[in-house]
């Protein structure tokens, strides 16, 4: 029996994704497609505590070039935003502006 390392509100380190090479390569290929002006969309869904946030943090590390499965490394500017049903267009713009200032 394997222990689930994922816990709600506690993203894990990138090293815990060993054995998930196919999924990670697919996400990285979406980032390369975007760089080539052919963006793809993806949706990550799953039960609470299954590792969605941790996977997105891993994807962020790939986008920023801290980790690379394929070559060359990527070099995206990544901004973390929290949006909800109350976020207006102007509110979104302000959140993006704040995120850019923090980077």
């Amino acid at each position: 029996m394997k222990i689930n390392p994922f816990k709600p509100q506690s993203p894990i380190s990138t090293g815990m994704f060993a054995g998930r090479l196919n999924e990670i390569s697919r996400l990285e290929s979406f980032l390369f497609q975007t760089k080539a002006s052919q963006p793809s969309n993806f949706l990550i869904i799953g039960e609470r505590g299954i590792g969605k946030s941790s996977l997105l943090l891993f994807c962020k590390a790939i986008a920023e070039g801290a980790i690379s499965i394929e070559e060359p490394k990527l070099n995206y500017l990544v901004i973390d935003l929290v949006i909800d049903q109350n976020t207006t267009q102007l509110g979104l713009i302000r959140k993006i502006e704040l995120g850019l200032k923090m980077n």
Side-chain angles (χ1 to χ4, degrees), residues 24-87:
I24 292 165
S25 291
R26 184 124 190 237
L27 289 172
E28 188 174 26
S29 73
F30 292 149
L31 293 169
F32 276 105
Q33 284 294 111
T34 300
K35 188 175 181 180
S37 298
Q38 297 177 353
S40 296
N41 296 311
F42 60 92
L43 177 65
I44 298 176
I45 60 172
E47 295 177 24
R48 185 173 192 256
I50 200 146
K52 299 176 299 292
S53 296
S54 297
L55 180 60
L56 286 174
L57 285 174
F58 191 91
C59 190
K60 176 183 176 184
I62 291 173
E64 293 174 332
I67 300 171
S68 180
I69 306 299
E70 306 287 330
E71 289 296 329
K73 287 186 174 184
L74 294 167
N75 189 22
Y76 281 95
L77 169 64
V78 179
I79 301 171
D80 294 319
L81 300 175
V82 177
I83 58 173
D84 60 25
Q85 67 271 12
N86 298 319
T87 304

Side-chain angles (χ1 to χ4, degrees), residues 87-100:
T87 304
T88 63
Q89 288 180 344
L90 182 58
L92 178 61
I93 291 169
R94 287 184 176 147
K95 288 180 181 199
I96 293 171
E97 179 185 27
L98 180 62
L100 287 170

